Structures are given as C-alpha cells and as structure tokens.
C-alpha cells in the first residue's frame, strides 16, 4: 500500500495520541442500527491496528440514541478489551453512570455545550443545568477511580445561534475543568471552524490556566477544514486528537454535523510529517473498508478512497 513520503513539518509534536471515536460518534448517527457483534468486531480491529484510546459507546437515554442502545451488550462481547482507562464511554447523567459502572467501564466522558440551544436539543437542559447534572457524575466517577473527559460542543459556531462568542466557550470549558475532569475535548460539532479560531480559543484557554496538556481537539469535517484545523492545533502544542475510522460520524441532534476527521486522513498527514502515533494506517484502512461493506456504503475518507480505489 502506498505510504506518504517522509518530510518533517516544523512545529508538530513528536508524538500524537489519537482518541478514536468511530464506534461512538461514527455509529450514533447511522440511519441503520449496526449489530452489537459488528460494533465489537470494529473495536477489536481498531485496537489491533494500534488505536489504544478508543471510545466504545454511549450510556445515554436509548430513546434519544437508539443506535447505541446496545451499549452493555457491546461491552459484554468485548470482555476485558472494552474496559480500563483507555476505553471511555459517554455518560450524560447519573443514570448513565450507573449503567456504565454496572458494565465495568474504567473511563467516562460527559458532554456539555457552549450554546444554550444545543444544550437544550442534546441534553434537554440549559448550559447551567447540564453542568449541574454532570457534577455528581464527575464526583462519583472520580471517587470510583475512573478517568473522566469533558466535551464542549459548538465551540466554533452553532447552527441555530450562528457565531459563538469566545468568552462563552471559555466559561463552559472553565466550568467543566472546575468539576475535576482529566481532559477537555473542544468540539467543532458542525465542522465550521477555521485555523484562526482554533488558535484564538487555545490561547484564550491558556490565558485562564487551561493548558494544551489537558486539551484534545474534536473536529467534524463538514467544510473540509478538520485536518487543517487539527494541524494548527498541533502546532499550538495539543497532542490529543479525536478522529473516526473511515470518517464516519455526526450528531443526531445537530443536523448539519457530518463525519469526524477521518483517522486515515489524520494518519496520512502525521506519518508524512514523521509524527509517531503507534497506529498502523493500512490496518485502519482495511477496517474501514470492512465496515463500509457491513454498512453497504463506501467510506467518506479521502485516504481510504485513494488507497483502495473504492
Ligand atoms: P431527559 O428525557 O430529559 O431525561 O433526557 P430524564 O432525566 O427526564 O429521564 C427520562 C427517562 O429517560 C427516564 O425514564 C430516565 O430513567 C431515562 P422513565 O423514568 O421515564 O422510565 N434515562 C435514561 N435511561 C438510560 N440511560 C440514561 C438515561 N437518562 C435518563 N443515561 C438525557 C436527558 C441527557 C438523558 C437525554 O437528553 C440524552 O440521553 N441525551 C443524549 C444525546 C446524545 O447522546 N447526543 C449525542 C452525543 S453528543 C455528541 O455527539 C457531540 C460530541 O461528539 C462532541 C462534538 O462533536 O461536539 C461529543
Ligand atoms: Mg462529535
């Protein structure tokens, strides 16, 4: 399989951790429900490809996201491979945390919003009410020794509210950090961000004491900016990047959200620049191809298309 020609790109870190979200963000937005056995096989293949930090599923209200209603079954099928601090699951509330703990997970992610409209649509709560809902979740999760991530959606634009003021994003990030989370993920839910916005937000967070060592970036690729924005974030010192095998993804409660940055597209850029990830590009491509066959439609990833002729 063709590989990119090696030429280091100044300003990038030596190593990047990929936070793989395909099994969760990817599959939550599929019109068809993928069987639990296929989800478990997807996660096994991703881990075997060297993706060590893999978000497996969501313990949300199954009426809201029926695609992931089989969360416990997927974890059952995975056994030890689905547990531990490197296999987070999404939980919005204490009910979700109870279910996650029952399933034996070792890491959870709460997910807030920078805007009121999306908080209502995604969590049925205001921004402040959602933070209040997360507080006991984070407290209890930490008490149980779990690793905890906090997402902030609509950091760079919102389909209903339009532009999102930087200060508003920083306030929600601050509120999540103050709950005691281990890592913050900055979400461009509808893929509208451009490089300058990314730099501005990272610097604004740094100015309030939230350094890049606690930040991951989560770009959707709606406007084709996800990889450019990621590289810009890496040049600012970020070393954790969310991506989705094959470029699957979206959010059922934000219609204009499309696929996440494809893991393969990210790997092509990082491998070319000599940045270590520990991930086998060819194995991820084969996995995405296999999954596309299961779902009956080709992968949207440019790199998968270019390498496989699909
Ligand atoms: P609600 O309807 O307000 O919940 O939803 P409620 O607390 O009023 O409870 C209603 C019923 O749901 C109750 O049952 C609860 O027990 C049950 P009843 O008493 O009526 O029989 N329930 C649950 N059942 C199972 N698991 C649970 C759970 N919670 C309540 N966890 C809620 C509030 C937060 C639950 C709902 O809005 C929800 O589940 N939202 C999740 C939406 C979602 O998953 N969105 C996609 C993920 S976010 C995303 O993709 C963005 C991200 O990728 C970053 C980015 O791109 O920006 C992370
Ligand atoms: Mg997302």
């Amino acid at each position: 399989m063709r590989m990119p020609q090696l030429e280091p790109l100044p300003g990038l870190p030596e190593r990047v951790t990929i936070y793989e979200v395909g099994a969760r963000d990817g599959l939550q937005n599929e019109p068809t429900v993928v069987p639990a056995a296929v989800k478990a096989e997807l996660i096994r293949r991703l881990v075997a490809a060297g993706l060590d930090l893999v978000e497996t599923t969501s313990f949300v209200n199954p009426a809201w996201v029926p695609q992931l209603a089989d969360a416990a079954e997927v974890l059952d099928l995975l056994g030890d491979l689905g547990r531990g601090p490197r296999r987070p699951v999404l939980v919005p509330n204490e009910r979700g945390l109870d279910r996650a703990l029952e399933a034996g997970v070792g890491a959870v992610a709460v997910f807030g919003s920078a805007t009121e409209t999306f908080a209502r649509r995604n969590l049925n709560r205001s921004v402040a009410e959602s933070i209040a809902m997360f507080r006991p979740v984070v407290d209890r999760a930490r008490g149980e020794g779990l690793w905890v991530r906090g997402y902030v959606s609509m950091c760079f634009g919102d389909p209903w509210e339009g532009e999102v003021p930087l200060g508003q994003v920083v306030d929600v990030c601050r509120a999540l950090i103050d709950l005691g989370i281990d890592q913050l993920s900055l979400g461009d839910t509808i893929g509208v961000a451009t490089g300058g916005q990314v730099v501005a937000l990272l610097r604004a967070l740094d100015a309030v004491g939230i350094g890049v060592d606690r930040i991951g970036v989560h770009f959707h690729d709606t406007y084709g900016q996800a990889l450019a924005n990621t590289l810009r974030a890496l040049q600012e010192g970020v070393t954790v990047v969310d991506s989705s095998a094959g470029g699957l993804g979206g959010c059922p409660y934000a219609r204009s959200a499309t696929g996440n940055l494809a893991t393969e597209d990210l790997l092509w850029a990082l491998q070319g620049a000599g940045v270590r990830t520990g991930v086998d590009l060819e194995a991820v491509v084969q996995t995405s191809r296999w999954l596309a066959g299961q779902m009956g439609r080709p992968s949207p990833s440019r790199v998968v298309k270019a390498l496989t002729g699909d």
Side-chain angles (χ1 to χ4, degrees):
M1 187 171 277
R2 187 182 184 117
M3 287 293 154
Q5 190 169 322
L6 178 67
E7 186 62 53
L9 177 61
L12 294 192
E14 276 177 23
R15 196 181 164 86
V16 161
T17 299
I18 298 181
Y19 184 105
E20 169 63 44
V21 297
R24 193 279 302 170
D25 210 346
L27 298 184
Q28 76 181 9
N29 206 31
E30 282 302 314
T32 51
V33 178
V34 175
V38 172
K39 290 171 178 156
E41 180 60 16
L42 168 65
I43 293 162
R44 275 191 215 102
R45 287 180 186 234
L46 294 171
V47 172
L51 287 156
D52 161 56
L53 185 51
V54 178
E55 199 168 79
T56 55
T57 185
S58 283
F59 287 93
V60 297
N61 184 342
W64 284 58
V65 185
Q67 292 91 333
L68 301 182
D70 58 3
E73 191 187 347
V74 171
L75 291 184
D76 254 6
L77 289 168
L78 285 170
D80 286 348
L81 193 102
R83 270 85 179 179
R86 312 289 286 173
R87 302 287 183 276
V89 298
L90 247 56
V91 295
N93 54 13
E94 288 197 87
R95 174 85 185 94
L97 180 65
D98 290 338
R99 292 172 59 211
L101 289 173
E102 211 169 294
V105 305
V108 293
V110 294
F111 47 103
S113 168
T115 66
E116 290 294 343
T117 312
F118 188 63
R120 286 258 166 237
R121 287 181 177 254
N122 200 43
L123 295 161
N124 205 17
R125 304 277 183 288
S126 69
V127 170
E129 286 164 351
S130 351
I131 302 288
M133 175 168 74
F134 300 149
R135 188 181 308 280
V137 176
V138 176
D139 282 350
R140 282 180 54 207
R142 286 178 61 89
E144 298 279 344
L146 270 54
W147 183 83
V148 183
R149 175 178 242 225
Y151 283 97
V152 180
S153 286
M154 304 299 175
C155 286
F156 305 99
D158 176 285
W160 303 280
E161 298 185 18
E163 292 189 10
V164 182
L166 192 62
Q168 192 174 313
V169 183
V170 171
D171 287 348
V172 176
C173 291
R174 183 76 258 166
L176 281 178
I177 288 281
D178 289 346
L179 291 181
I181 60 167
D182 294 288
Q183 186 175 83
L184 187 66
S185 177
L186 305 176
D188 182 17
T189 322
I190 55 167
V192 291
T194 54
Q197 283 184 282
V198 174
V199 172
L201 179 56
L202 290 170
R203 292 187 183 172
L205 289 171
D206 190 58
V208 297
I210 305 173
V212 286
D213 54 323
R214 285 199 279 177
I215 291 175
V217 286
H218 180 107
F219 293 112
H220 286 258
D221 205 23
T222 323
Y223 287 78
Q225 305 298 305
L227 184 54
N229 289 336
T230 298
L231 292 175
R232 202 60 201 84
L234 295 179
Q235 286 174 324
E236 289 295 304
V238 168
T239 59
V240 177
V241 178
D242 298 7
S243 65
S244 154
L248 295 163
C251 177
Y253 293 99
R255 278 283 146 252
S256 37
T258 61
N260 291 83
L261 169 63
T263 304
E264 293 88 343
D265 298 11
L266 174 63
L267 283 169
W268 185 271
L270 294 182
Q271 205 159 307
V275 176
R276 284 182 290 121
T277 60
V279 183
D280 178 346
L281 171 59
E282 185 169 356
V284 184
V285 169
Q286 295 309 345
T287 299
S288 293
R289 210 170 179 213
W290 162 81
L291 185 65
Q294 297 289 322
M295 305 209 315
R297 62 176 178 80
S299 157
S301 157
R302 304 276 181 83
V303 169
V304 173
K305 279 191 192 132
L307 290 177
T308 63
D310 286 348

